[in-house]
Amino acid sequence: MSVLEVLSGALLIAGALAVLTGGVGMLRFPDFYTRIHAAGITDSAGAGLILLGLLLRVDTWNTAVRLLIILLFLALTSPTATHILAHAARRDGVPMWRKGDPRR
Amino acid sequence: MSLLDHDSAGAASAQQQPRRKNTMRFLRTAPLPVVFWLLLSGHYEPLLLALGALSVAVVCWLTRRAGLDHRSVTFAFALRLPRYFLWLSGSVLVSTFAVARKVWSPRPDLRPVVEPIPTPHLQELSQVVYANSITLTPGTLSLDVEANHIEVHSLERSGVDELRKGLMLRRVRQTEAQR
Amino acid sequence: MIFAVMAALLVTMVLTLLRAFMGPGRYNRILAVNTFGTKTVLFVAVAGFLFGRPEFLDIGILYALVNFVATVAVLRLTHYQELVSDTERGEGK
Protein backbone atom coordinates (compact mmCIF):
# COMPACT_ATOMS: atom_id res chain seq x y z
CA MET A 1 0.00 0.00 0.00
CA SER A 2 1.38 3.35 -0.97
CA VAL A 3 1.45 6.46 1.16
CA LEU A 4 -1.27 8.05 -0.95
CA GLU A 5 -3.59 5.13 -0.40
CA VAL A 6 -3.10 5.23 3.36
CA LEU A 7 -3.70 8.97 3.41
CA SER A 8 -6.78 8.63 1.24
CA GLY A 9 -8.09 5.87 3.51
CA ALA A 10 -7.56 8.03 6.57
CA LEU A 11 -9.40 10.96 4.96
CA LEU A 12 -12.26 8.69 3.89
CA ILE A 13 -12.65 7.20 7.37
CA ALA A 14 -12.53 10.66 8.95
CA GLY A 15 -15.15 11.83 6.46
CA ALA A 16 -17.37 8.83 7.18
CA LEU A 17 -17.13 9.56 10.90
CA ALA A 18 -18.01 13.22 10.31
CA VAL A 19 -21.00 12.25 8.18
CA LEU A 20 -22.18 9.81 10.82
CA THR A 21 -21.71 12.43 13.55
CA GLY A 22 -23.86 14.84 11.57
CA GLY A 23 -26.61 12.25 11.21
CA VAL A 24 -26.59 11.40 14.90
CA GLY A 25 -26.58 15.09 15.79
CA MET A 26 -29.61 15.64 13.57
CA LEU A 27 -31.50 13.21 15.77
CA ARG A 28 -30.05 14.16 19.14
CA PHE A 29 -30.02 17.94 19.12
CA PRO A 30 -33.03 19.62 20.71
CA ASP A 31 -34.32 22.12 18.14
CA PHE A 32 -34.20 23.24 14.54
CA TYR A 33 -31.35 25.75 14.85
CA THR A 34 -29.06 23.42 16.75
CA ARG A 35 -29.81 20.67 14.23
CA ILE A 36 -28.56 22.97 11.48
CA HIS A 37 -25.17 22.93 13.21
CA ALA A 38 -25.22 19.14 13.19
CA ALA A 39 -26.16 19.11 9.50
CA GLY A 40 -23.29 21.54 8.95
CA ILE A 41 -20.80 18.88 10.06
CA THR A 42 -22.00 16.59 7.29
CA ASP A 43 -22.18 19.35 4.73
CA SER A 44 -18.77 20.91 5.24
CA ALA A 45 -16.37 18.56 7.01
CA GLY A 46 -17.92 15.27 5.91
CA ALA A 47 -18.28 16.20 2.25
CA GLY A 48 -14.87 17.87 2.12
CA LEU A 49 -13.00 14.98 3.73
CA ILE A 50 -14.67 12.29 1.61
CA LEU A 51 -14.17 14.18 -1.65
CA LEU A 52 -10.52 14.90 -0.78
CA GLY A 53 -10.06 11.25 0.08
CA LEU A 54 -11.45 10.26 -3.31
CA LEU A 55 -9.31 12.92 -4.97
CA LEU A 56 -6.18 11.12 -3.78
CA ARG A 57 -7.10 7.94 -5.63
CA VAL A 58 -8.06 9.29 -9.06
CA ASP A 59 -6.23 8.07 -12.15
CA THR A 60 -7.35 10.54 -14.83
CA TRP A 61 -7.34 14.30 -14.74
CA ASN A 62 -10.95 14.73 -15.74
CA THR A 63 -12.13 12.68 -12.78
CA ALA A 64 -10.10 14.97 -10.56
CA VAL A 65 -11.63 18.03 -12.20
CA ARG A 66 -15.13 16.68 -11.63
CA LEU A 67 -14.38 15.97 -7.97
CA LEU A 68 -13.03 19.49 -7.54
CA ILE A 69 -16.11 20.95 -9.21
CA ILE A 70 -18.39 18.98 -6.86
CA LEU A 71 -16.32 20.18 -3.91
CA LEU A 72 -16.56 23.78 -5.07
CA PHE A 73 -20.31 23.52 -5.70
CA LEU A 74 -20.95 22.03 -2.29
CA ALA A 75 -18.75 24.63 -0.61
CA LEU A 76 -20.73 27.38 -2.34
CA THR A 77 -24.28 26.06 -2.26
CA SER A 78 -24.59 24.29 1.08
CA PRO A 79 -23.92 27.33 3.30
CA THR A 80 -26.13 29.44 1.05
CA ALA A 81 -29.00 26.95 1.29
CA THR A 82 -28.50 26.64 5.04
CA HIS A 83 -28.51 30.41 5.43
CA ILE A 84 -31.71 30.83 3.40
CA LEU A 85 -33.35 28.08 5.44
CA ALA A 86 -32.33 29.57 8.79
CA HIS A 87 -33.34 33.06 7.65
CA ALA A 88 -36.76 31.86 6.51
CA ALA A 89 -37.30 29.91 9.74
CA ARG A 90 -36.37 32.92 11.81
CA ARG A 91 -38.66 35.23 9.87
CA ASP A 92 -41.37 32.66 10.36
CA GLY A 93 -40.84 32.84 14.11
CA VAL A 94 -39.56 29.32 14.73
CA PRO A 95 -38.75 29.55 18.45
CA MET A 96 -35.18 29.31 19.71
CA TRP A 97 -34.33 26.57 22.19
CA ARG A 98 -32.70 27.70 25.43
CA LYS A 99 -31.05 25.54 28.04
CA GLY A 100 -33.70 23.85 30.17
CA ASP A 101 -36.45 23.96 27.54
CA PRO A 102 -38.08 20.70 26.47
CA ARG A 103 -36.94 19.19 23.17
CA ARG A 104 -38.85 20.02 20.03
CA MET B 1 -28.45 46.90 -2.50
CA SER B 2 -24.96 47.76 -3.60
CA LEU B 3 -25.53 45.25 -6.39
CA LEU B 4 -28.32 47.47 -7.62
CA ASP B 5 -26.11 50.54 -7.32
CA HIS B 6 -23.49 48.86 -9.44
CA ASP B 7 -26.09 47.99 -11.98
CA SER B 8 -27.59 51.43 -12.33
CA ALA B 9 -24.12 52.99 -12.52
CA GLY B 10 -23.27 50.52 -15.25
CA ALA B 11 -26.49 51.29 -17.09
CA ALA B 12 -25.85 55.03 -16.95
CA SER B 13 -22.40 54.78 -18.49
CA ALA B 14 -23.63 52.09 -20.87
CA GLN B 15 -25.78 54.74 -22.53
CA GLN B 16 -22.70 56.70 -23.54
CA GLN B 17 -20.82 53.82 -25.14
CA PRO B 18 -23.39 51.10 -25.54
CA ARG B 19 -21.62 48.77 -27.93
CA ARG B 20 -18.25 48.72 -26.19
CA LYS B 21 -19.73 48.46 -22.72
CA ASN B 22 -21.83 45.48 -23.70
CA THR B 23 -18.86 43.69 -25.22
CA MET B 24 -16.81 44.33 -22.11
CA ARG B 25 -19.55 42.96 -19.91
CA PHE B 26 -19.92 39.93 -22.10
CA LEU B 27 -16.17 39.29 -22.00
CA ARG B 28 -16.19 39.55 -18.25
CA THR B 29 -18.96 36.99 -17.83
CA ALA B 30 -17.93 34.57 -20.58
CA PRO B 31 -14.63 32.98 -19.38
CA LEU B 32 -16.17 31.09 -16.48
CA PRO B 33 -18.81 29.17 -18.48
CA VAL B 34 -16.29 28.64 -21.30
CA VAL B 35 -13.78 27.02 -18.96
CA PHE B 36 -16.56 25.07 -17.27
CA TRP B 37 -17.84 23.73 -20.61
CA LEU B 38 -14.38 22.82 -21.89
CA LEU B 39 -13.50 20.99 -18.69
CA LEU B 40 -16.70 19.03 -18.49
CA SER B 41 -17.37 18.12 -22.11
CA GLY B 42 -14.08 16.64 -23.29
CA HIS B 43 -15.35 16.63 -26.91
CA TYR B 44 -13.73 19.03 -29.33
CA GLU B 45 -15.50 18.36 -32.66
CA PRO B 46 -16.67 21.45 -34.57
CA LEU B 47 -20.38 20.71 -34.09
CA LEU B 48 -20.08 20.25 -30.35
CA LEU B 49 -17.83 23.30 -30.02
CA ALA B 50 -20.47 25.36 -31.84
CA LEU B 51 -23.16 24.03 -29.53
CA GLY B 52 -20.93 24.85 -26.57
CA ALA B 53 -20.42 28.40 -27.81
CA LEU B 54 -24.17 28.72 -28.21
CA SER B 55 -24.84 27.54 -24.67
CA VAL B 56 -22.16 29.90 -23.29
CA ALA B 57 -23.86 32.77 -25.11
CA VAL B 58 -27.24 31.78 -23.67
CA VAL B 59 -25.75 31.53 -20.17
CA CYS B 60 -24.16 34.98 -20.50
CA TRP B 61 -27.42 36.46 -21.73
CA LEU B 62 -29.37 34.88 -18.86
CA THR B 63 -26.78 36.07 -16.35
CA ARG B 64 -27.09 39.61 -17.62
CA ARG B 65 -30.84 39.44 -17.69
CA ALA B 66 -30.87 38.29 -14.06
CA GLY B 67 -28.53 41.16 -13.14
CA LEU B 68 -25.89 38.77 -11.86
CA ASP B 69 -22.83 39.93 -13.82
CA HIS B 70 -21.00 40.97 -10.73
CA ARG B 71 -17.99 43.14 -11.41
CA SER B 72 -16.29 42.77 -8.05
CA VAL B 73 -15.27 39.18 -8.87
CA THR B 74 -11.89 39.95 -10.37
CA PHE B 75 -9.08 37.69 -11.45
CA ALA B 76 -6.86 38.82 -8.58
CA PHE B 77 -9.65 37.97 -6.15
CA ALA B 78 -9.96 34.48 -7.64
CA LEU B 79 -6.20 34.01 -7.21
CA ARG B 80 -6.36 34.97 -3.54
CA LEU B 81 -9.30 32.66 -2.93
CA PRO B 82 -7.44 29.28 -2.69
CA ARG B 83 -5.33 30.55 0.18
CA TYR B 84 -8.42 31.66 2.03
CA PHE B 85 -10.01 28.27 1.38
CA LEU B 86 -7.02 26.51 2.90
CA TRP B 87 -7.22 28.63 6.02
CA LEU B 88 -10.99 28.16 6.17
CA SER B 89 -10.79 24.37 5.91
CA GLY B 90 -8.37 24.39 8.83
CA SER B 91 -10.76 26.32 11.03
CA VAL B 92 -13.68 24.19 9.80
CA LEU B 93 -11.85 21.07 10.96
CA VAL B 94 -11.13 22.56 14.38
CA SER B 95 -14.72 23.60 15.00
CA THR B 96 -16.03 20.32 13.56
CA PHE B 97 -14.12 18.58 16.28
CA ALA B 98 -15.69 20.76 18.96
CA VAL B 99 -19.24 20.21 17.67
CA ALA B 100 -18.65 16.47 17.17
CA ARG B 101 -17.67 16.20 20.84
CA LYS B 102 -21.00 17.82 21.75
CA VAL B 103 -22.89 15.38 19.52
CA TRP B 104 -21.36 12.28 21.08
CA SER B 105 -21.25 13.46 24.69
CA PRO B 106 -23.96 11.73 26.78
CA ARG B 107 -25.36 15.03 28.03
CA PRO B 108 -24.57 17.68 25.44
CA ASP B 109 -24.04 21.05 27.06
CA LEU B 110 -25.73 23.43 24.64
CA ARG B 111 -26.24 27.10 25.38
CA PRO B 112 -27.27 28.58 22.04
CA VAL B 113 -26.95 32.36 21.67
CA VAL B 114 -27.90 34.81 18.92
CA GLU B 115 -25.76 37.90 18.63
CA PRO B 116 -24.93 40.50 16.01
CA ILE B 117 -21.37 40.46 14.68
CA PRO B 118 -20.30 43.88 13.38
CA THR B 119 -18.97 43.96 9.81
CA PRO B 120 -18.08 47.61 9.25
CA HIS B 121 -17.28 48.86 5.71
CA LEU B 122 -17.37 45.50 4.00
CA GLN B 123 -18.00 45.16 0.28
CA GLU B 124 -21.03 43.14 -0.68
CA LEU B 125 -18.98 40.28 -2.10
CA SER B 126 -16.83 40.08 1.03
CA GLN B 127 -19.94 40.12 3.14
CA VAL B 128 -21.27 37.14 1.20
CA VAL B 129 -17.94 35.36 1.63
CA TYR B 130 -17.91 36.18 5.34
CA ALA B 131 -21.50 35.08 5.98
CA ASN B 132 -20.99 31.88 4.04
CA SER B 133 -17.78 31.15 5.92
CA ILE B 134 -19.60 31.65 9.21
CA THR B 135 -22.27 29.20 8.11
CA LEU B 136 -19.75 26.73 6.72
CA THR B 137 -18.00 26.54 10.08
CA PRO B 138 -19.97 24.14 12.28
CA GLY B 139 -21.08 25.73 15.52
CA THR B 140 -21.84 29.13 14.03
CA LEU B 141 -24.63 30.03 11.64
CA SER B 142 -25.47 33.33 9.97
CA LEU B 143 -29.16 34.07 10.42
CA ASP B 144 -29.47 37.50 8.90
CA VAL B 145 -27.14 39.68 6.84
CA GLU B 146 -27.63 43.41 7.32
CA ALA B 147 -25.71 46.40 5.98
CA ASN B 148 -23.10 46.51 8.74
CA HIS B 149 -23.70 43.49 10.92
CA ILE B 150 -24.49 39.79 10.63
CA GLU B 151 -26.80 38.04 13.08
CA VAL B 152 -25.05 34.88 14.19
CA HIS B 153 -26.55 31.87 15.94
CA SER B 154 -23.95 29.92 17.84
CA LEU B 155 -24.06 26.68 19.80
CA GLU B 156 -22.30 28.41 22.65
CA ARG B 157 -20.96 31.81 23.57
CA SER B 158 -17.36 30.93 22.74
CA GLY B 159 -18.24 30.68 19.04
CA VAL B 160 -19.51 34.26 18.98
CA ASP B 161 -16.53 35.47 21.01
CA GLU B 162 -14.21 33.82 18.52
CA LEU B 163 -15.86 35.72 15.66
CA ARG B 164 -15.76 38.98 17.65
CA LYS B 165 -12.00 38.66 17.83
CA GLY B 166 -12.12 39.21 14.08
CA LEU B 167 -9.58 36.71 12.86
CA MET B 168 -11.87 35.51 10.10
CA LEU B 169 -12.94 39.05 9.24
CA ARG B 170 -9.30 40.04 8.81
CA ARG B 171 -8.75 37.11 6.47
CA VAL B 172 -11.81 38.08 4.45
CA ARG B 173 -10.53 41.65 4.18
CA GLN B 174 -7.16 40.40 2.98
CA THR B 175 -8.88 38.31 0.33
CA GLU B 176 -11.15 41.15 -0.78
CA ALA B 177 -9.95 43.04 -3.83
CA GLN B 178 -8.13 46.26 -2.94
CA ARG B 179 -9.67 48.96 -5.04
CA MET C 1 -12.35 1.30 3.02
CA ILE C 2 -14.84 2.50 0.44
CA PHE C 3 -17.34 -0.02 1.80
CA ALA C 4 -17.04 1.53 5.25
CA VAL C 5 -17.71 4.97 3.81
CA MET C 6 -20.75 3.69 1.93
CA ALA C 7 -22.06 1.99 5.06
CA ALA C 8 -21.65 5.19 7.07
CA LEU C 9 -23.39 7.17 4.35
CA LEU C 10 -26.28 4.70 4.21
CA VAL C 11 -26.74 4.69 8.00
CA THR C 12 -26.68 8.48 8.04
CA MET C 13 -29.20 8.61 5.23
CA VAL C 14 -31.54 6.46 7.30
CA LEU C 15 -31.04 8.75 10.33
CA THR C 16 -31.74 11.79 8.17
CA LEU C 17 -34.88 10.18 6.78
CA LEU C 18 -36.01 9.51 10.35
CA ARG C 19 -35.63 13.21 11.09
CA ALA C 20 -37.55 14.03 7.92
CA PHE C 21 -40.41 11.74 8.98
CA MET C 22 -40.49 12.89 12.59
CA GLY C 23 -40.38 16.58 11.78
CA PRO C 24 -41.60 18.47 13.70
CA GLY C 25 -42.59 21.28 11.43
CA ARG C 26 -41.69 21.96 7.86
CA TYR C 27 -38.27 23.50 8.45
CA ASN C 28 -36.90 20.38 10.12
CA ARG C 29 -38.11 18.40 7.14
CA ILE C 30 -36.60 20.75 4.57
CA LEU C 31 -33.31 20.67 6.47
CA ALA C 32 -33.38 16.88 6.55
CA VAL C 33 -34.13 16.62 2.83
CA ASN C 34 -31.38 19.12 2.02
CA THR C 35 -28.81 17.15 4.01
CA PHE C 36 -30.10 13.96 2.44
CA GLY C 37 -29.35 15.51 -0.96
CA THR C 38 -25.76 16.29 0.05
CA LYS C 39 -25.35 12.71 1.18
CA THR C 40 -26.75 11.45 -2.10
CA VAL C 41 -24.10 13.43 -3.97
CA LEU C 42 -21.39 11.90 -1.80
CA PHE C 43 -22.92 8.45 -2.21
CA VAL C 44 -23.00 8.77 -5.99
CA ALA C 45 -19.37 9.88 -6.02
CA VAL C 46 -18.25 7.05 -3.74
CA ALA C 47 -20.30 4.49 -5.68
CA GLY C 48 -18.66 5.65 -8.90
CA PHE C 49 -15.26 4.88 -7.41
CA LEU C 50 -16.41 1.53 -6.05
CA PHE C 51 -17.67 0.37 -9.43
CA GLY C 52 -14.70 1.91 -11.23
CA ARG C 53 -16.98 4.18 -13.23
CA PRO C 54 -16.01 7.78 -12.51
CA GLU C 55 -18.62 8.95 -15.04
CA PHE C 56 -21.00 8.80 -12.10
CA LEU C 57 -19.43 12.06 -10.96
CA ASP C 58 -21.32 13.92 -13.68
CA ILE C 59 -24.54 12.77 -12.07
CA GLY C 60 -23.14 13.96 -8.75
CA ILE C 61 -22.54 17.46 -10.13
CA LEU C 62 -26.05 17.56 -11.52
CA TYR C 63 -27.50 16.34 -8.26
CA ALA C 64 -25.62 18.96 -6.26
CA LEU C 65 -27.10 21.69 -8.45
CA VAL C 66 -30.63 20.27 -8.44
CA ASN C 67 -30.47 19.85 -4.67
CA PHE C 68 -29.64 23.51 -4.14
CA VAL C 69 -32.25 24.75 -6.60
CA ALA C 70 -34.85 22.44 -5.07
CA THR C 71 -34.22 23.74 -1.55
CA VAL C 72 -34.52 27.33 -2.68
CA ALA C 73 -37.64 26.52 -4.72
CA VAL C 74 -39.34 24.76 -1.82
CA LEU C 75 -38.58 27.69 0.49
CA ARG C 76 -39.98 30.16 -2.00
CA LEU C 77 -43.06 28.01 -2.39
CA THR C 78 -43.74 27.78 1.34
CA HIS C 79 -43.27 31.50 1.71
CA TYR C 80 -45.53 32.14 -1.21
CA GLN C 81 -48.20 30.04 0.49
CA GLU C 82 -47.78 32.03 3.66
CA LEU C 83 -48.16 35.29 1.80
CA VAL C 84 -51.33 34.02 0.17
CA SER C 85 -52.86 32.70 3.39
CA ASP C 86 -51.86 35.88 5.25
CA THR C 87 -53.64 38.12 2.80
CA GLU C 88 -56.65 35.82 2.84
CA ARG C 89 -56.75 35.99 6.61
CA GLY C 90 -56.35 39.75 6.43
CA GLU C 91 -59.24 40.06 4.02
CA GLY C 92 -61.38 37.76 6.14
CA LYS C 93 -61.12 40.01 9.19
Side-chain angles (χ1 to χ4, degrees), chain B residues 35 39 84 119 149 159 175:
Chain B
V35 169
L39 280 180
Y84 179 70
T119 59
H149 71 271
T175 314

Side-chain angles (χ1 to χ4, degrees), chain C residues 2 5 13 15 20 29 32 58 61 63 76 78:
Chain C
I2 289 208
V5 176
M13 280 160 116
L15 296 181
R29 290 177 219 271
D58 286 330
I61 294 177
Y63 208 96
R76 287 201 79 146
T78 53

Side-chain angles (χ1 to χ4, degrees), chain A residues 21 28 37 44 66 83 87 98, chain B residues 40 103 105-106 112 142-143:
Chain A
T21 307
R28 282 199 71 197
H37 294 291
S44 49
R66 279 165 172 76
H83 169 77
H87 186 74
R98 301 280 173 197
Chain B
L40 279 187
V103 171
S105 77
S142 60
L143 284 178

Side-chain angles (χ1 to χ4, degrees), chain A:
Chain A
M1 244 163 111
S2 69
V3 185
L4 269 189
E5 267 175 60
V6 174
L7 199 60
S8 141
L11 283 176
L12 284 178
I13 294 293
L17 280 179
V19 166
L20 207 60
T21 307
V24 172
M26 286 272 282
L27 284 184
R28 282 199 71 197
F29 276 1
D31 83 325
F32 170 70
Y33 297 100
T34 45
R35 274 174 210 140
I36 288 186
H37 294 291
I41 297 184
T42 336
D43 278 0
S44 49
L49 287 171
I50 287 184
L51 289 176
L52 280 182
L54 291 179
L55 197 61
L56 289 183
R57 48 174 75 197
V58 295
D59 31 20
T60 56
W61 66 270
N62 57 29
T63 315
V65 164
R66 279 165 172 76
L67 276 176
L68 280 177
I69 286 178
I70 294 186
L71 190 60
L72 205 65
F73 270 173
L74 284 184
L76 274 178
T77 57
S78 82
T80 313
T82 311
H83 169 77
I84 303 173
L85 190 59
H87 186 74
R90 182 149 185 243
R91 251 195 5 199
D92 239 22
V94 174
M96 203 87 67
W97 180 89
R98 301 280 173 197
K99 196 170 177 61
D101 286 4
R103 298 170 52 87
R104 34 177 179 267

